[in-house]
């Protein structure tokens, strides 16, 4: 379809976002949904990157995934495979997926399946491992591998059985609408949504007669302990929404934001699959006791897909409880942040109404033109990883994409439309 103006194309994109009907429908091994995931293939967060250019936590995540899959017996063997180029690396975004922090996903890791029923497409994200030493922050010790095996053998299958017993799956829009009114912004704070998810699945899990009682207990306990579990559902939801919206193939709405420690990358609707990149920044924020900015890793992860759909840092006002945790002050600062983000967006999403924002809808449609015109870049809530693999999260804060990403995207789109740059 052709559009007379950029504004008309952008309206079509955001209409597609509002119309999205995301449902969590299953949890399956990644290879069941992503045919590219064969032996010696790993997915990673961010735009394309070579192993040698990855930061230490992302390299560590690659090692952990190889050990989990059994492609090597020890770290030395895993690193030899990586250094010899025997492991194929693919961005999650290239195969309908997203991944938190390092984003490393392998064939037998269970992924959440979110179906956008308005458009008929699906998106995938691995499940949240909890806190502490975890693969997404680069840890690959015996405890990490044991937990991943448990997620493969117990957590994934149990959740699959529970979700498939729901008549239509879990309506994610309804759950987000409920949780945003309870103080979540779906990047740094997911407590309400994670508990609401547990409320939906717990009665079904406890009644699964073909599942060992201890497994049922362990799954319920894990979900109860994992405050950020819903983040990964939100990420898959964002991917499903934006992949449908970017089928418009016109306009300047940002359809993806992600980072790999080397580069920050964005996509806009009118430029399809093309990435526009600039060097990744280091997040600004608060550090846990004993750590400082000197210990921080460059920004990594696909989780900024949440900001792309208008939540996360864009909806800071929805979760004033996290503002001090990410080092941005208090309620007034949260209000100022979200008001500023509206200056680079095209409207409000009526599906995600925020009571603390006088019942306005969450930010809808980041317009790359407005970013370039105003100099205001999207704010992204994020965890801060230690620059050495295995230490895990050492703080929390915010990060902004380099404005060069948006300048490059607008220049390329102008050239595509026949304008002189």
């Amino acid at each position: 379809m052709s559009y007379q103006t950029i504004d008309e194309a952008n309206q079509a994109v955001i209409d597609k976002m509002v119309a999205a009907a995301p449902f969590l429908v299953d949890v399956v091994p990644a290879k069941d949904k992503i045919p590219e995931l064969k032996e010696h293939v790993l997915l990673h967060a961010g735009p394309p990157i070579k192993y040698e250019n990855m930061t230490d936590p992302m390299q560590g995540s690659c090692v952990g995934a190889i050990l989990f899959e059994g492609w090597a017996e020890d770290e030395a063997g895993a690193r030899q495979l990586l250094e010899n180029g025997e492991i194929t690396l693919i961005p999650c975004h290239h195969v309908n997926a997203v991944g938190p922090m390092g984003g490393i996903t392998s064939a037998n890791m269970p992924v959440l399946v979110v179906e956008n029923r308005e458009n008929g497409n699906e998106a995938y994200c691995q499940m949240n491992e909890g806190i502490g030493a975890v693969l997404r922050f680069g840890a690959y010790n015996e405890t990490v591998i044991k937990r991943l095996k448990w997620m493969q053998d117990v957590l994934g299958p149990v959740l699959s059985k529970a979700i498939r017993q729901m008549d239509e799956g879990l309506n994610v829009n309804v759950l987000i609408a409920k949780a945003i009114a309870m103080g979540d912004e779906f990047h740094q704070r997911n407590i309400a949504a994670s508990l609401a998810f547990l409320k939906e699945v717990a009665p079904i899990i406890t009644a699964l007669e073909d599942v060992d009682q201890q497994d049922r207990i362990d799954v319920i306990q894990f979900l109860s302990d994992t405050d950020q579990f819903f983040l990964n559902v939100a990420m898959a939801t964002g991917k499903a929404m934006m992949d449908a919206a970017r089928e418009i193939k016109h306009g300047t709405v940002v359809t993806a934001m992600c980072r790999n420690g080397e580069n920050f990358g964005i996509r806009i609707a009118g430029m399809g699959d093309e990435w526009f990149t600039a060097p990744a920044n280091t997040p600004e924020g608060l550090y846990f006791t004993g750590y400082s900015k000197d210990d921080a890793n460059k920004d990594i992860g696909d989780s900024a897909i949440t900001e792309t759909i208008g939540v996360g840092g864009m909806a800071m006002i929805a979760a004033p409880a996290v503002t001090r945790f990410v080092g941005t002050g208090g309620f007034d600062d949260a209000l100022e942040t979200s008001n500023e983000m509206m200056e680079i967006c095209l409207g409000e999403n009526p599906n995600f109404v925020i009571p603390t924002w006088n019942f306005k809808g969450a930010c809808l449609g980041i317009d790359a033109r407005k970013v370039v015109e105003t100099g205001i870049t999207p704010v992204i809530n994020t965890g801060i990883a230690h620059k050495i693999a295995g230490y895990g999260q050492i703080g929390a804060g915010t990060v902004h994409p380099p404005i060069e990403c948006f300048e490059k995207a607008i220049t390329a789109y102008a050239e595509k439309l026949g304008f002189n740059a």
Side-chain angles (χ1 to χ4, degrees), residues 6-7 9-18 241-242 245 251-257 267-269 305-311 314 340-350 352 357 361-371 376 378 406:
I6 293 175
D7 288 341
N10 284 344
Q11 187 63 49
V13 175
I14 63 174
D15 286 348
K16 197 85 165 160
M17 293 172 66
V18 173
M241 288 174 60
M242 297 315 301
T252 55
V253 175
V254 176
T255 57
M257 297 192 293
R267 284 171 164 173
I268 64 171
I305 194 69
T306 56
E307 278 77 12
T308 315
I309 64 169
V311 293
M314 307 289 288
E340 184 178 52
M341 291 301 101
M342 277 302 299
E343 295 184 36
I344 57 173
C345 291
L346 296 168
E348 303 171 20
N349 191 333
F352 307 147
W357 208 11
C363 295
L364 177 65
I366 299 170
D367 186 349
R369 292 178 306 173
K370 293 188 175 188
V371 173
I376 299 169
F406 301 88

Side-chain angles (χ1 to χ4, degrees), residues 266-278:
I266 73 164
R267 284 171 164 173
I268 64 171
M271 295 304 295
D273 294 341
E274 188 171 351
W275 290 106
F276 300 94
T277 65

